[in-house]
Amino acid sequence: MSQHVPSAAGDWIGPDRFSLSDSLAELWRYPARAWVHRDLVCAWVKREWSARFLGTALGPLWPFVQPLALFAVYAFVFSELFGMRPAAPDASPALGAVWIFAGVLVWTSFAECISRATGAFFENRNLVQKSSFPADLLVLQPILMSFATLAVGAIVFCVISWFLTNTHPGFAQLALLGVLLPLHFAWMLGLSLTLACAQVILRDTASLLGVVLTVWMFATPIFWVADVASLPAIEPWLSWIHANPMHSLIEAWRWTLLGESAAPFAGAALGSDLARFAPWAIGALFVGLCSARAMRGSLSDEVAS
Amino acid sequence: MSAHQFAIEAEDLGKIYKRWDGPWSRALEVMSRGRRQGHREVRALEGVSFKLPAGGALGIVGANGAGKSTLLKLLSGTTAPTSGRFRVSGRSASLLELGAGFHPGFSARDNAFQNAVLLGLRAREARRRVEEALEFAELMDVADEPVGTFSTGMGMRLGFAAAMSVEPEVLILDEVFAVGDQAFQKKCVDRLAAFRAGGGSLVLCSHALYDIRQMCDEALWLDNGQLAKAGDACEVTHAYAASQIAEDDVRRVAGALPQRADWPRITGAEVVLSHSGLPARSVQTGEDIELRVTWENPNPVDHPIQLGVGFVRGDQTLCAAAATHHDGVKLSGAGGVCSLRLPRLSLLAGTFLVKLWLFDDAGVFRYQETALDHDLLVRGAEREVGLVRLDHSWHLEGTALQPNPWAFSQPKELTL
């Protein structure tokens, strides 16, 4: 019977009590659970991937079309219409568009993931109520989906930016993916679990999140440069901007995707972006795991009411 | 199979659901750290203990809302108990709803695979079992069609087959153990019998007491979240069935009043024999009887009423009924006696509950639903079988037979 995933059969199961040490243990129990149920998570991602293209003619080409269209729009609007140029005089004009594109890719994958993950428990309430499975793994589906789209986007990005600006990812920065990716994942997982739990209790969460994401997007230097030389008006807000975890995350990705070519825009180095982002990611992960742990025993009751 | 002696042990299991009036009262409770209680507690289950021996089958009976589904949800692990504890030994699978989580856009094969992985199979194993499940559900030729195009029956067959494909050691079923048409239901029952023969343990919740008796050794009767009776399946189901009938008695004319004082009501009802005018509790097939219903209507202008009478057999079959609005009769005035004359009673031998309804003018809303204080015992004189006697005669090749000497027209000549 080794073909079955191991379960807790045989243990006494009593009232679900929340404790902090239990939540801390989730730091390794959650990944362990995900590993044990890897086939289930894979099946969810595969299904979602094909569900997204179910009945479409272009099918798997769509993930490529989306970033291409995005790039075309942003390059036109910001590079041509707004005339945004890098502060450094020797940088190519197309670099501005590529730089924005990199930010848009990361933001889009983040926003898409968070909005989908918010409904991960509530939208699947039928499953949560009627089947016994580790429901907290449900958020992995939108997260892995968003990393998949980010990966596709990154490939498209590298090809475009190489053609247009002759830039390529910095090899030193690529090596730091080993740090960036886990932190990025922790950030998404923590936020997703927190929001998914919040949505179960308060159905306003999803609507509220839509508003917050819009404000957040414009407050994050995606389409503009957090540089006093090119935008003098932002000076009093600089500390706020640097406290924004999405700013650090996007900057880190820009460093990774553009290498040293990002230097004309970016104020700091990749290492300091990662250092600013890490506490956010770890904090979010902890809050998320605590929320999910606290909700586990009553999740199926809460989604019903 | 499990080395444990018991498949399921439950000790003092309880479940309290919290109901909040709204998000604000809930937020207030969290903010005040529980000093301001914003929720009501709904006690769904309390102090339920039992042991199911490995390889045994346990039936769960009880009225709607008695806690059956809550107990199954606890045992299947979809929700945690709020008190007590339980232990399930061996791999368990629960089937609380057929096809929960099926995606209508995906093929039967995809959905069955997803279901098997959800229930804990490894992908490779799941792929093999899915083919068996499709075979069992007789859906091989439509395996790649989207489930959304399936008929309800096909969907249920797939759901059952997919769930059974996991081959658990402990199976928990909520009302779903035989689906589809008669032939497929037989297949389902055979499959469950094979499961039990192979040493599997079963927990089954059903309203069909017959099935519980057939399939289970032991049964629990839940009443208002508490264990009303536990033990041998036959004993428990009979006790439960008896309680249902006893509950019926409560609502009879003697004690039953309408919900509001100004509503019309039935104050008395009796069966009398037409020829003597004497009340009777037992009558004979073919006799002329009358049902006399005394009624009051404090407000006949606002509440015009109609009277309905029904004869209900023990298994809840409504055998015959009559109603004033069907026959164009009106009960006007503030009260009176309404007699329903039934010449040559055609009901055959049996015990009948005589139900009485006071309807509104349209015959839709029921002001009162009650029943005669005593069941009507009909003694049969004929050797005929069935529910009612149809007015009939036999003919052979166009020649009318001699009239039957036992015919209805001469009931008084009968001797018992």
Side-chain angles (χ1 to χ4, degrees):
Chain A
M1 285 298 154
S2 58
Q3 290 298 328
H4 287 83
V5 302
S7 62
D11 296 342
W12 284 102
I13 299 170
D16 195 64
R17 296 198 204 291
F18 175 79
S19 76
L20 206 60
S21 59
D22 239 17
S23 303
L24 274 172
E26 284 295 296
L27 279 172
W28 59 86
R29 281 192 196 145
Y30 189 92
R33 208 156 46 238
W35 174 250
V36 164
H37 291 273
R38 58 191 180 277
D39 287 344
L40 175 62
V41 177
C42 280
W44 277 336
V45 174
K46 275 186 203 156
R47 164 179 273 212
E48 177 63 20
W49 186 265
S50 42
R52 209 168 281 186
F53 309 122
L54 200 70
T56 61
L58 285 185
L61 285 181
W62 277 114
F64 294 94
V65 175
Q66 182 77 358
L68 279 174
L70 275 178
F71 175 68
V73 171
Y74 290 123
F76 179 72
V77 172
F78 288 95
S79 217
E80 290 298 319
L81 293 186
F82 290 7
M84 214 199 75
R85 293 282 182 275
D90 56 332
S92 106
L95 190 60
V98 170
W99 186 84
I100 289 175
F101 184 26
V104 168
L105 274 184
V106 177
W107 178 267
T108 321
S109 92
F110 166 75
E112 186 197 80
C113 163
I114 297 300
S115 355
R116 282 179 190 266
T118 300
F121 297 155
F122 184 64
E123 305 295 328
N124 287 307
R125 55 190 177 279
N126 197 20
L127 209 56
V128 172
Q129 285 180 80
K130 299 294 182 186
S131 300
S132 170
F133 67 101
D136 51 2
L137 299 183
L138 276 168
V139 295
L140 287 179
Q141 187 219 57
I143 295 173
L144 292 174
M145 278 298 290
S146 85
F147 272 100
T149 44
L150 181 64
V152 171
I155 291 166
V156 175
F157 174 88
C158 289
V159 173
I160 290 179
S161 73
W162 191 72
F163 268 113
L164 287 183
T165 63
N166 204 19
T167 56
H168 57 79
F171 293 108
Q173 285 84 1
L174 272 186
L176 274 174
L177 269 183
V179 181
L180 175 57
L181 276 180
L183 285 179
H184 191 170
F185 194 90
W187 167 244
M188 301 273 243
L189 178 61
L191 225 49
S192 297
L193 284 173
T194 311
L195 287 169
C197 288
Q199 170 73 1
V200 167
I201 293 171
L202 198 62
R203 310 281 146 80
D204 311 42
T205 308
S207 320
L208 187 65
L209 182 71
V211 179
V212 169
L213 279 178
T214 311
V215 175
W216 199 351
M217 180 174 78
F218 287 104
T220 306
I222 298 170
F223 307 111
W224 47 277
V225 188
D227 177 24
V228 184
S230 53
L231 264 179
I234 63 162
E235 187 159 11
W237 307 100
L238 266 184
S239 57
W240 285 96
I241 290 166
H242 286 304
N244 179 355
M246 283 314 288
H247 175 51
S248 315
L249 179 66
I250 287 175
E251 289 291 279
W253 272 105
R254 279 171 171 154
W255 275 107
T256 309
L257 291 172
L258 287 166
E260 292 303 323
S261 326
F265 296 100
L270 176 55
S272 65
D273 285 324
L274 284 179
R276 273 204 300 265
F277 182 63
W280 282 102
I282 293 165
L285 180 66
F286 184 66
V287 172
L289 289 176
C290 278
S291 318
R293 180 63 193 81
M295 181 142 267
R296 188 189 297 164
S298 58
L299 183 61
S300 79
D301 312 332
E302 296 283 2
V303 291
S305 56
Chain B
M1 284 290 140
S2 168
H4 289 272
Q5 189 187 354
F6 295 106
I8 300 179
E9 293 162 86
E11 293 178 358
D12 204 28
L13 272 186
K15 177 77 186 180
I16 295 171
Y17 291 109
K18 288 184 179 176
R19 292 273 179 272
W20 275 271
D21 295 328
W24 293 116
S25 64
R26 181 171 191 157
L28 209 65
E29 187 177 319
V30 175
M31 301 284 189
S32 69
R33 297 194 164 188
R35 268 171 289 144
R36 291 275 303 265
Q37 291 278 313
H39 69 267
R40 289 170 290 124
E41 293 193 336
V42 181
R43 203 173 287 270
L45 208 63
E46 198 181 356
V48 173
S49 306
F50 65 90
K51 284 188 165 94
L52 173 65
L58 177 75
I60 299 173
V61 296
N64 286 326
K68 303 189 298 288
S69 290
T70 299
L71 180 58
L72 291 194
K73 279 173 108 175
L74 289 180
L75 295 178
S76 66
T78 49
T79 184
T82 45
S83 61
R85 58 179 195 164
F86 72 99
R87 173 160 76 173
V88 179
S89 306
R91 196 178 50 259
S92 76
S94 51
L95 192 46
L96 303 185
E97 188 180 294
L98 282 178
F102 275 10
H103 189 302
F106 284 98
S107 69
R109 186 173 272 123
D110 269 0
N111 273 306
F113 173 76
Q114 187 81 25
N115 197 69
V117 177
L118 186 77
L119 290 175
L121 284 190
R122 283 260 167 273
R124 200 189 324 152
E125 182 70 5
R127 244 169 247 123
R128 190 176 66 76
R129 299 275 181 86
V130 160
E131 297 309 310
E132 290 172 12
L134 289 169
E135 193 79 52
F136 179 79
E138 299 161 19
L139 293 171
M140 265 320 226
D141 24 327
V142 288
D144 293 310
E145 306 277 329
V147 166
T149 64
F150 283 15
S151 70
T152 317
M154 287 159 89
M156 286 166 81
R157 263 150 55 193
L158 181 64
F160 182 86
M164 287 305 287
S165 71
V166 188
E167 292 181 7
E169 288 158 309
V170 181
L171 187 63
I172 298 168
L173 299 176
D174 191 357
E175 289 281 353
V176 278
F177 57 92
V179 297
D181 57 20
Q182 299 252 305
F184 195 76
Q185 283 183 16
K186 176 83 177 95
K187 255 177 109 168
C188 295
V189 170
D190 288 348
R191 179 75 182 249
L192 282 179
F195 164 77
R196 287 215 52 203
S201 316
L202 179 71
V203 178
L204 169 68
C205 158
S206 179
H207 285 289
L209 301 182
Y210 174 80
D211 294 320
I212 299 260
R213 268 171 235 145
Q214 288 299 301
M215 306 187 56
C216 303
D217 325 312
E218 289 178 47
L220 302 180
W221 163 17
L222 290 179
D223 188 32
N224 263 326
Q226 291 175 326
L227 213 53
K229 193 176 171 67
D232 176 73
C234 282
E235 262 176 49
V236 172
T237 49
H238 283 307
Y240 171 66
S243 83
Q244 293 302 98
I245 293 165
E247 221 162 83
D248 237 26
D249 281 335
V250 178
R251 284 186 279 114
R252 298 200 177 195
V253 176
L257 280 174
Q259 286 154 318
R260 279 168 38 182
D262 65 329
W263 276 9
R265 72 200 64 173
I266 292 169
T267 53
E270 60 181 359
V271 170
V272 297
L273 299 171
S274 296
H275 67 275
S276 63
L278 292 173
R281 286 188 194 178
S282 85
V283 299
Q284 198 169 306
T285 302
E287 259 184 321
D288 298 339
I289 65 164
E290 272 177 37
L291 180 67
R292 298 171 60 83
V293 179
T294 320
W295 56 278
E296 277 173 15
N297 191 358
N299 192 349
V301 182
D302 289 346
H303 304 299
I305 51 167
Q306 303 284 1
L307 177 69
V309 175
F311 295 86
V312 180
R313 201 170 60 172
D315 61 358
Q316 299 302 310
T317 304
L318 178 62
C319 305
T324 51
H325 49 287
H326 290 163
D327 300 322
V329 180
K330 264 199 176 359
L331 272 68
S332 45
V337 175
C338 178
S339 280
L340 172 68
R341 287 192 187 154
L342 300 165
R344 300 185 311 282
L345 183 68
S346 47
L347 288 171
L348 291 176
T351 308
F352 298 88
L353 173 73
V354 183
K355 290 199 102 169
L356 305 167
W357 294 275
L358 271 188
F359 292 104
D360 66 350
D361 208 23
V364 179
F365 178 75
R366 298 166 190 181
Y367 287 111
Q368 193 181 4
E369 182 170 353
T370 178
L372 222 62
D373 287 341
H374 304 284
D375 285 344
L376 179 68
L377 177 70
V378 178
R379 289 167 283 127
E382 319 276 332
R383 275 164 297 179
E384 287 169 308
V385 288
L387 204 56
V388 293
R389 183 185 196 279
L390 300 177
D391 211 1
H392 67 273
S393 59
W394 298 97
H395 297 269
L396 285 172
E397 292 179 31
T399 317
L401 286 179
Q402 289 295 308
N404 184 346
W406 303 100
F408 274 152
S409 41
Q410 305 94 19
K412 284 163 202 154
E413 296 171 15
L414 296 178
T415 48
L416 271 177

